[in-house]
């Protein structure tokens, strides 16, 4: 009994229920929906947004925001693509490291601008977003980079534990593995390190965090570098799916990424949010996009249904939270403890 | 203090970066006009060709054609446009060119209505006005360069799809760049109308699926559509990212031989998917030629010629003219595996 009570109190409950209900409906609408093949497919299609969502989660937890990720992924993808054309005999590890390094540099610049000069993150990252995008378009003229080496294309096709089922090869693709690794790393950092506690503390109250002894500037710079690193990984993941680099394709990516994180229950002003919530956000977005087509929902209605589901999920979450807070209003200490445990 | 300084620096950097790309060829434009002033003495024309935006492969290719025509014909060509598809920026840029006193302005308007006032002003200044790629207010232009006959193009893609499917008794799906793009919708309507009339047994499974002009969305949408409608035998892709995107999906599904795909594409981007029949045929017009023809017609008008169907234009040859003003580039260019 107690376990059930504990479960229903979890903030991720609303979105989990939504995922289960939707899955049941969609499974009835199309028997293909709940096949392993389809699940792996839609996870693969959403791996890029997912990795970026894990990347910006710590930033959003500190109450910051990183608008530059959509330009950073374009930059990383172009650098990775050009590198592979220039050194066709290198290997995937080097490509990933280079792409992540480029992302880290952008993140460090963001972090430094924000901390050293105390500029609001939304302004600072809007600036870097514009500058980087302009630079990428100046350099590439928007022309696609094609003809990537065969070993890279093969890397994108790798399926772990592949087996044949109903005449199709089913397996966990490389992109999904990268997504899971990104999620695990993020989870370990924010849940089990002092750094992670500092991230939540800054989002809760910057002044208190400082007084308690957290190095707010260092932590802030770290979260932006982390976002850059993950964006670099997402860039390689993206070009490994499509096999070409289209510098214009990443426009407005940041909006889809934020949507995932916020649907996953992360507070818009920082302070709370979890890797589990973000993971569920990724799954929900993936299910909606994939399921609406499979359920043969008419094209023009798809966006309407999508918006409704998002609103419904978030409002269930908010109502739950309000109810909880109403209960805890008298005992402030307890509420803080709950927040810390998140 | 520091904070103020940095925010100012940021603002400067942002405007600088916008200016850099916004007028990606700002320097070129300036030197072009300088040459124009000098050149007006020896009778050299200055022709401005303005795309909807710069920095995408399509308008990069049209720019190469326009510049090449300038070299071949001995006229100054300024190829310049905004970095985003922004009508307001086009208006400002055209006003600058009016002040500079160019001879002809060829514009691909982002919003025809927004152009009207400034084009009127340019006309009053004695500048020859052309539109290309997308039509402006017909009463204000001296010539309108159409990349393709919209109806003929849609019908052509439909015919070729049936040809590749080898049957007109099947299901097909349409995947498009976006639901609000007027030109794409025009081609789709023509293709659908043609199918309804000529292939009564051909069944469109659902309304066109939008893909946000993104290759990876085209990829995952194609996969999803094939799961929702496993009997689909043919796919029509409209807008250039659908060629490589849908093609890759068909390859990864292993359906090269079961599903035919005819889609818009830039030729260089689809060589790979064409090679194994994932994409059966890429369709578009020749983008270089579109820029080239625009400059040729502009020069011909500046020389004092009047447009007539079947007339010869310097540097191009015979042109097709409809309704006195509309110059048609020609039939679709189809790409097959090289």
């Amino acid at each position: 009994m107690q376990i059930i009570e504990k479960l229903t109190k979890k903030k991720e409950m609303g979105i989990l229920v939504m995922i289960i209900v939707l899955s049941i409906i969609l499974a009835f609408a199309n028997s293909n929906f709940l096949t392993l093949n389809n699940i792996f497919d839609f996870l693969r299609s959403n791996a890029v947004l997912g990795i970026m969502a894990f990347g910006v989660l710590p930033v959003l937890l500190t109450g910051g925001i990183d608008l530059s990720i959509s330009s950073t992924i374009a930059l990383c993808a172009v650098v990775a693509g050009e590198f592979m054309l220039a050194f066709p005999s290198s290997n995937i590890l080097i490509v990933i490291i280079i792409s992540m390094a480029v992302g880290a540099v952008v993140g460090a610049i963001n972090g430094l601008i924000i901390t050293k000069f105390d500029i609001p993150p939304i302004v600072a990252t809007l600036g870097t977003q514009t500058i980087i995008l302009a630079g990428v378009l100046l350099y590439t003229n928007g022309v696609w980079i094609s003809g990537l080496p065969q070993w890279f294309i093969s890397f994108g096709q790798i399926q772990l534990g592949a087996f044949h089922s109903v005449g199709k090869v089913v397996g966990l693709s490389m992109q999904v593995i990268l997504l899971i690794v990104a999620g695990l790393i993020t989870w370990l950092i924010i849940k089990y390190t002092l750094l992670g506690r500092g991230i939540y503390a800054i989002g809760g109250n910057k002044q208190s965090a400082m007084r308690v002894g957290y190095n707010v500037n260092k932590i802030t710079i770290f979260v932006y570098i982390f976002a850059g690193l993950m964006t670099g990984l997402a860039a390689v993941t993206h070009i490994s799916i499509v096999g070409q680099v289209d510098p214009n394709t990443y426009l407005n990516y940041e909006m889809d990424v934020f949507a995932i994180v916020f649907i996953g229950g992360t507070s818009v002003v920082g302070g709370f949010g979890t890797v589990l919530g973000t993971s569920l956000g990724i799954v929900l977005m993936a299910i909606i996009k994939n399921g609406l087509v499979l359920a043969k929902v008419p094209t023009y209605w798809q966006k309407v249904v999508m918006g409704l589901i998002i609103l419904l999920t978030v409002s269930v979450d908010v109502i739950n939270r309000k109810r909880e807070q109403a209960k805890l209003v008298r005992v402030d200490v307890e509420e803080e403890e709950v927040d810390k445990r998140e | 203090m520091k904070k103020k300084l940095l925010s100012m620096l940021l603002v400067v950097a942002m405007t600088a970066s916008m200016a850099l790309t916004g007028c990606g060829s700002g320097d070129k434009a300036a030197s072009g006009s300088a040459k124009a002033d000098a050149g007006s003495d020896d009778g050299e024309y200055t022709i401005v060709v303005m795309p909807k935006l710069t920095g995408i492969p399509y308008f990069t290719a049209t720019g190469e054609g326009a510049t090449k025509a300038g070299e071949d014909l001995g006229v100054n060509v300024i190829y310049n446009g905004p970095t985003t598809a922004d009508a307001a920026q086009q208006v400002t840029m055209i006003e600058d060119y009016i002040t500079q006193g160019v001879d002809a302005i060829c514009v691909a308007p982002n919003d025809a209505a927004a152009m009207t006032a400034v084009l009127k002003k340019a006309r009053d200044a004695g500048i020859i006005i052309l539109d290309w790629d997308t039509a402006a207010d017909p009463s204000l232009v001296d010539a309108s360069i159409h990349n393709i006959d919209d109806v003929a193009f849609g019908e052509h893609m439909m015919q070729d799809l049936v040809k590749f499917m080898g049957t007109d008794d099947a299901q097909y799906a349409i995947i498009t760049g976006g639901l609000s793009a007027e030109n794409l919708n025009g081609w789709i309507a023509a293709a659908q109308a043609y199918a309804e009339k000529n292939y009564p047994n051909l069944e469109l499974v659902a309304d066109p699926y939008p893909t946000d002009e993104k290759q990876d969305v085209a990829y995952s949408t194609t996969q999803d559509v094939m799961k929702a409608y496993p009997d689909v035998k043919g796919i029509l892709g409209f807008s250039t990212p659908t060629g490589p995107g849908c093609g890759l999906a068909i390859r990864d599904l292993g359906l090269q031989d079961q599903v035919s795909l005819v889609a818009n594409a830039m030729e260089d981007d689809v060589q790979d998917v064409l090679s194994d029949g994932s994409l059966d045929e890429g369709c578009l017009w020749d983008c270089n030629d579109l820029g080239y023809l625009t400059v040729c017609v502009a020069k011909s008008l500046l020389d004092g010629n009047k447009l007539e169907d079947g007339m010869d234009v310097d540097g191009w040859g015979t042109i097709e003219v409809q309704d006195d003003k509309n110059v048609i580039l020609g039939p679709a260019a189809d790409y097959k595996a090289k």
Side-chain angles (χ1 to χ4, degrees):
Chain A
M1 217 36 223
Q2 249 184 341
I3 297 173
I4 294 171
E5 211 168 280
K6 242 188 186 172
L7 265 179
T8 49
K9 266 192 186 155
K10 276 229 165 201
K11 293 213 172 69
E12 292 85 11
M13 212 42 216
I15 182 170
L16 189 63
V17 168
M18 185 57 87
I19 288 174
I20 293 169
V21 171
L22 265 182
S23 300
I24 293 171
I25 297 173
L26 291 171
F28 275 111
N30 190 325
S31 57
N32 263 333
F33 176 75
L34 268 188
T35 55
L36 265 184
N37 180 31
N38 186 49
I39 292 171
F40 287 157
D41 269 358
F42 70 62
L43 285 178
R44 183 175 189 250
S45 308
N46 287 278
V48 177
L49 291 176
I51 292 171
M52 289 168 86
F54 287 133
V56 294
L57 176 63
V59 172
L60 297 173
L61 285 177
T62 63
I65 196 160
D66 189 349
L67 295 175
S68 71
I69 49 171
S70 57
S71 298
T72 310
I73 188 174
L75 176 68
C76 295
V78 168
V79 171
E82 289 285 348
F83 175 80
M84 280 187 275
L85 290 190
F87 302 97
S89 57
S90 69
N91 64 60
I92 183 67
L93 210 62
I94 297 177
V95 174
I96 291 181
I97 289 171
I98 285 180
S99 180
M100 288 178 79
V102 171
V105 170
V106 175
I109 293 171
N110 281 334
L112 285 172
I113 294 176
I114 291 163
T115 53
K116 295 292 166 212
F117 304 99
D118 210 12
I119 289 181
I122 194 165
V123 180
T125 56
L126 182 64
T128 46
Q129 179 199 45
T130 321
I131 293 167
I132 294 167
L133 185 67
V136 169
L137 291 185
L138 259 181
Y139 175 72
T140 61
N141 245 327
V143 177
W144 293 22
I145 300 172
S146 312
L148 300 178
Q150 189 52 45
W151 52 262
F152 183 74
I153 305 291
S154 316
F155 167 78
Q157 310 283 352
I158 293 176
Q159 292 191 327
L160 232 65
F163 59 92
H164 287 266
S165 131
V166 219
K168 284 189 184 111
V169 187
V170 179
L172 211 51
S173 50
M174 210 55 222
Q175 292 80 8
V176 182
I177 294 169
L178 291 175
L179 173 68
I180 293 171
V181 170
L184 280 177
I185 293 173
T186 315
W187 178 66
L188 285 175
I189 290 177
I190 66 175
K191 181 115 184 175
Y192 290 109
T193 64
L194 203 61
L195 193 66
R197 279 164 204 282
I199 290 170
Y200 281 106
I202 293 174
N205 188 327
K206 205 168 159 185
Q207 290 302 325
S208 331
M210 222 179 277
R211 282 197 200 118
V212 175
Y214 286 114
N215 188 333
V216 172
N217 279 0
K218 257 193 194 160
I219 295 174
T220 306
I221 293 173
F222 169 79
V223 293
Y224 285 94
I225 292 180
F226 185 75
L229 284 169
M230 287 298 177
T231 305
L233 183 64
V236 178
T237 311
H238 185 264
I239 50 179
S240 79
I241 294 176
V242 292
Q244 283 163 318
V245 182
D246 172 5
N248 280 306
T249 201
Y250 305 105
L251 217 64
N252 297 334
Y253 253 50
E254 74 276 13
M255 287 306 153
D256 288 344
V257 172
F258 295 144
I260 287 175
V261 183
F262 291 137
I263 288 171
T266 302
S267 159
V268 184
V269 290
F272 59 78
T274 59
V275 169
L276 177 65
T278 304
S279 311
L280 292 175
I282 297 166
V283 173
L284 182 66
M285 284 297 258
I287 286 182
I288 295 175
K289 277 192 264 178
N290 167 270
L292 290 182
V293 177
L294 259 62
K296 308 184 183 180
V297 175
T299 311
Y300 293 92
W301 283 100
Q302 284 183 13
K303 298 250 166 183
V304 178
V305 176
M306 189 165 177
L308 282 177
I309 293 173
I310 291 172
L311 276 179
L312 202 65
T313 314
V314 176
S315 36
V316 167
D317 197 37
V318 170
I319 291 166
N320 262 344
R321 204 173 296 158
K322 278 214 164 141
R323 211 181 279 159
E324 235 171 77
Q325 271 173 2
K327 271 191 212 156
L328 290 172
V329 145
R330 285 165 294 136
V331 231
D332 273 355
V333 190
E334 257 181 56
E335 194 190 0
E336 275 201 15
E337 260 175 20
V338 169
D339 273 356
K340 248 184 235 159
R341 246 182 280 139
E342 285 308 312
Chain B
M1 191 58 215
K2 249 187 182 174
K3 186 174 165 186
K4 248 189 197 161
L5 192 74
L6 196 91
S7 40
M8 267 176 69
L9 267 176
L10 260 178
V11 169
V12 170
M14 272 168 74
T15 17
S17 80
M18 279 173 191
L20 258 174
T21 46
C23 314
S25 30
D27 297 331
K28 245 185 278 165
S31 64
S33 69
K35 249 192 266 164
D37 294 338
S40 55
D41 296 327
D42 50 52
E44 214 175 76
Y45 300 126
T46 298
I47 299 170
V48 174
V49 182
M50 184 176 295
K52 287 184 179 178
L53 72 165
T54 52
I56 67 167
Y58 176 77
F59 283 119
T60 305
T62 52
E64 281 163 9
T67 315
K68 176 103 192 341
E71 284 163 14
D72 293 354
L73 295 170
V75 294
N76 289 318
V77 170
I78 304 172
Y79 189 78
N80 196 13
T83 39
T84 54
D86 181 355
Q89 279 190 52
Q90 284 188 314
V91 171
T92 333
M93 292 171 81
I94 290 177
E95 265 170 357
D96 290 346
Y97 287 123
I98 297 174
T99 318
Q100 286 178 21
V102 298
D103 300 299
I105 294 176
C106 317
V107 63
N110 284 306
D111 179 348
M115 289 291 132
T116 306
V118 74
L119 290 186
K120 212 173 262 168
K121 191 174 159 192
R123 252 185 106 86
D124 292 344
I127 296 170
I128 300 264
I129 310 290
L130 283 83
D131 66 47
W132 61 285
D133 186 68
T134 305
D137 183 344
S139 67
L140 292 172
V141 296
D142 298 282
S144 176
I145 316 293
H146 288 239
N147 35 37
I148 206 122
D149 182 323
D150 285 348
V151 174
F153 189 54
E155 290 180 350
H156 165 77
M157 285 180 67
M158 193 70 238
Q159 285 166 353
D160 279 11
L161 182 69
V162 168
K163 196 176 82 196
F164 282 110
M165 287 196 295
T167 169
D168 59 4
D169 184 6
Q171 289 188 332
Y172 78 107
I174 293 179
I175 292 181
T176 177
L179 296 174
S180 55
E182 207 174 313
N183 56 344
L184 302 182
N185 288 343
W187 305 338
I188 292 172
Q192 272 182 273
Y194 186 83
E196 272 162 29
K197 202 168 141 213
N198 296 286
Y199 312 120
N201 296 324
L202 202 61
E203 184 201 343
L204 180 64
V205 291
D207 289 327
Y209 290 95
T211 56
D212 302 341
E213 301 283 350
K214 286 184 182 1
Q215 185 195 3
D216 56 338
V217 181
Y219 173 84
S220 55
T221 305
T222 307
Q223 285 195 326
D224 294 347
V225 169
M226 288 314 300
K227 280 178 204 145
Y229 305 99
D231 295 329
V232 160
K233 285 278 167 294
I235 295 177
L236 280 181
F238 293 91
S239 166
T240 50
T242 59
C246 302
L248 201 62
I250 287 175
R251 169 183 296 168
D252 286 358
L253 289 166
L255 293 174
Q256 291 97 328
D257 299 330
Q258 285 82 23
V259 177
S260 304
L261 170 65
V262 173
N264 300 142
M266 299 291 293
E267 188 170 12
D268 290 343
D269 299 336
V270 287
Q271 283 312 312
D272 180 43
V273 279
L274 280 170
S275 64
D276 67 345
S278 303
L279 173 64
D280 294 278
E281 182 180 87
C283 287
L284 206 65
W285 47 90
D286 192 312
C287 309
N288 281 66
D289 281 358
L290 177 60
Y292 201 97
L293 175 64
T294 303
V295 171
C296 292
V297 172
K299 176 168 183 282
S300 177
L301 288 171
L302 286 170
D303 285 339
N305 296 320
K306 222 179 150 302
L307 288 180
E308 263 172 66
D309 192 24
M311 73 185 282
D312 257 352
V313 169
D314 248 10
W316 180 267
T318 318
I319 56 168
E320 183 189 345
V321 182
Q322 296 176 353
D323 307 328
D324 293 337
K325 271 186 187 176
N326 300 336
V327 183
I328 312 290
L329 172 64
D334 297 331
Y335 317 131
K336 308 236 166 63
K338 269 181 187 163

